[in-house]
Amino acid sequence: MSDDPARKRLGADERREEIIRVTLALAAKQGVDDVTTQDMAQAMGVTQGAVFRHFPSKDAIWLAVMQWVRDRLMPVLGRAAAQGRDPLDALQRMFFAHIDFISRYPAIPSVLMSKHLHGRSTALRRLVTEIMLGYEAKIAGLLTDAQAQGLARADLDAHAAATLYIGMIQGLVLQTSILRGQRTLAVEAARTFPVFLQAVRPPSTQGATP
């Protein structure tokens, strides 16, 4: 296998992004733990040497994948939240923006939860922890703001509710992955989020429109 001349015209940053995107696509198709650098090279039509010219190891590729996800997902969620008319609306917009992002890159939850990858790479585990804690803090902050505005229950444990929020996404991804073809992520998300809203709102506003 030899590198295509047209591919050689790609800059280093473009080639790195191509490797990252190919890795995510392969992970969605065959599972995170089964992706090899030979698979990556074959999917790109290059040699393994071409892959390793841009990343020193397979672990470095997965770390770059997670950095790529962070650098794209976090701004998407931030923009969605900024459009909210109030904290609960911001949470709803973030939720569905996250669901849409996962629909476009279905391997992401598997990367986040892969014990195999986390066990091999301390740097990756630290990065995932940073992302999760930052995301949880953002959600808890919005819930606290909602409490201050009388939109959420005064007795709500904001951090526990934030954990539940993230757990809903993880659970929906797992469910729709197992029941592939029977349930879709977007439809199940639309059914589930109103239940979360009902749980966090004060009793006097339970019938309010989201």
Side-chain angles (χ1 to χ4, degrees), residues 149-154 198 200-209:
Q149 296 177 28
L151 299 173
R153 305 172 63 99
Q198 186 176 21
V200 303
R201 282 180 169 147
S204 61
T205 62
Q206 291 293 341
T209 303

Side-chain angles (χ1 to χ4, degrees), residues 8-130:
K8 292 181 180 179
R9 291 197 291 270
L10 289 176
D13 290 344
E14 295 169 305
R15 177 73 81 207
R16 283 171 62 88
E17 177 147 348
E18 181 185 22
I19 293 169
I20 289 166
R21 287 181 177 274
V22 164
T23 301
L24 277 171
L26 288 169
K29 181 179 179 181
Q30 62 195 60
V32 171
D33 297 344
D34 292 333
V35 177
T36 67
T37 51
Q38 179 58 44
D39 294 332
M40 299 172 196
Q42 185 172 348
M44 294 168 60
V46 300
T47 64
Q48 283 193 74
V51 173
F52 286 120
R53 279 199 292 274
H54 297 278
F55 293 100
S57 66
K58 184 179 175 183
D59 287 347
I61 295 173
W62 284 116
L63 179 60
V65 166
M66 205 62 248
Q67 290 168 334
W68 184 92
V69 170
R70 175 199 60 193
D71 294 344
R72 281 152 185 80
L73 176 59
M74 292 302 109
V76 165
L77 298 180
R79 287 192 297 271
Q83 294 171 4
R85 63 180 180 271
D86 60 50
L88 292 186
D89 187 47
L91 281 172
Q92 179 166 300
R93 289 174 183 271
M94 281 177 57
F95 184 86
F96 288 106
H98 196 165
I99 291 294
D100 180 65
F101 192 85
I102 292 172
S103 295
R104 287 185 283 129
Y105 303 105
I108 289 173
S110 298
V111 178
L112 281 167
M113 295 183 284
S114 172
K115 292 181 180 179
H116 175 71
L117 292 182
H118 296 176
R120 287 170 46 124
S121 173
T122 300
L124 178 63
R125 187 167 62 251
R126 281 200 303 264
L127 178 58
V128 171
T129 299
E130 173 193 317

